Amino acid sequence: MPFSKENTYTTDYIYSLPEGQRAELIDGVIYDMAPPNRLHQELVMNLSTEIREYISKNYGFCKVYPAPFAVFLNKDDKTYVEPDISIICDKSKLDDRGYNGAPDWIIEIASSGTKRIDYGVKLFKYHSAGVREYWIVNPLTRTVNVYDLEKEELTDLYSFDDDIQVCIYDDLTINITELLKQ
């Protein structure tokens, strides 16, 4: 949830937070981050592993970064996000702090507390920043929204039981139910 303060925050505020406290900053607005639950962590781990193995087997040059990993979407100090999973293909924008620019593919695991941000604020922000593909994995409804932002379209709404076609990799499909069996 965003703070109700009227100030505009910068990344300096993010870096001044006490150890262990996490927040995101979008256009100067702070959004607190609650600790993830067990299913959230399983999804992050299994999706990250599946994508990393695919990239490795296909001699890909992209990297998979699970949260917490800093992404500075804009060329200013007003936006800092920690997507649940970031797939990054332009290594020239990586530095010791994180990534400076739009990842190629972002996956967010939605929760009851993050739905409004994931489906609204972040969808708009990721699209306008140049993210090529955006997934919202919702364990509560067992659905996955896939947005092909490069083609500017909602590809589809899938269930966890479906084989989901990845937009940026033509020959990769992911079945969430199968991943959770691992």
Side-chain angles (χ1 to χ4, degrees):
M1 288 294 175
F3 283 143
S4 59
K5 299 177 183 175
E6 294 188 23
N7 297 350
T8 299
Y9 292 89
T10 67
T11 53
D12 289 340
Y13 178 81
I14 294 291
Y15 283 101
S16 74
L17 291 172
E19 184 74 28
Q21 183 177 345
R22 292 176 51 212
E24 292 181 306
L25 175 69
I26 301 174
D27 295 327
V29 176
I30 293 289
Y31 296 88
D32 284 329
M33 298 173 71
N37 65 28
R38 181 193 56 80
L39 180 55
H40 179 281
Q41 290 302 90
E42 275 188 50
L43 286 163
V44 169
M45 179 64 127
N46 292 354
L47 282 163
S48 295
T49 300
E50 181 84 2
I51 296 163
R52 183 176 175 273
E53 286 177 3
Y54 168 83
I55 291 169
S56 178
K57 287 178 185 171
N58 290 281
Y59 307 101
F61 54 90
C62 301
K63 294 275 196 176
V64 179
Y65 292 94
F69 181 73
V71 174
F72 304 90
L73 285 174
N74 300 339
K75 295 179 181 176
D76 63 24
D77 62 352
K78 302 271 190 282
T79 300
Y80 165 99
V81 292
E82 292 183 6
D84 290 315
I85 302 172
S86 300
I87 292 81
I88 293 172
C89 300
D90 184 353
K91 294 179 191 170
S92 71
K93 296 179 184 177
L94 287 166
D95 63 25
D96 289 339
R97 293 186 335 152
Y99 191 70
N100 298 290
D104 292 84
W105 179 13
I106 288 178
I107 300 173
E108 294 283 8
I109 312 300
S111 68
S112 57
T114 66
K115 284 189 313 189
R116 184 182 63 80
I117 297 163
D118 292 335
Y119 289 95
V121 174
K122 285 185 176 180
L123 174 59
F124 174 79
K125 194 66 183 174
Y126 292 160
H127 180 262
S128 62
V131 172
R132 294 170 55 202
E133 182 167 356
Y134 178 42
W135 284 24
I136 303 171
V137 178
N138 190 329
L140 302 171
T141 60
R142 295 185 49 82
T143 58
V144 180
N145 289 79
V146 174
Y147 298 90
D148 185 341
L149 300 178
E150 197 168 42
K151 294 180 182 167
E152 299 194 9
E153 60 188 34
L154 168 63
T155 302
D156 215 337
L157 174 65
Y158 297 92
S159 85
F160 275 23
D161 297 325
D162 293 329
D163 292 331
I164 305 168
Q165 175 63 55
V166 175
C167 302
I168 66 169
Y169 297 118
D170 291 339
D171 58 344
L172 175 60
T173 59
I174 296 175
N175 184 298
I176 305 291
T177 297
E178 292 300 316
L179 279 183
L180 291 173
K181 290 179 182 176
Q182 298 177 5

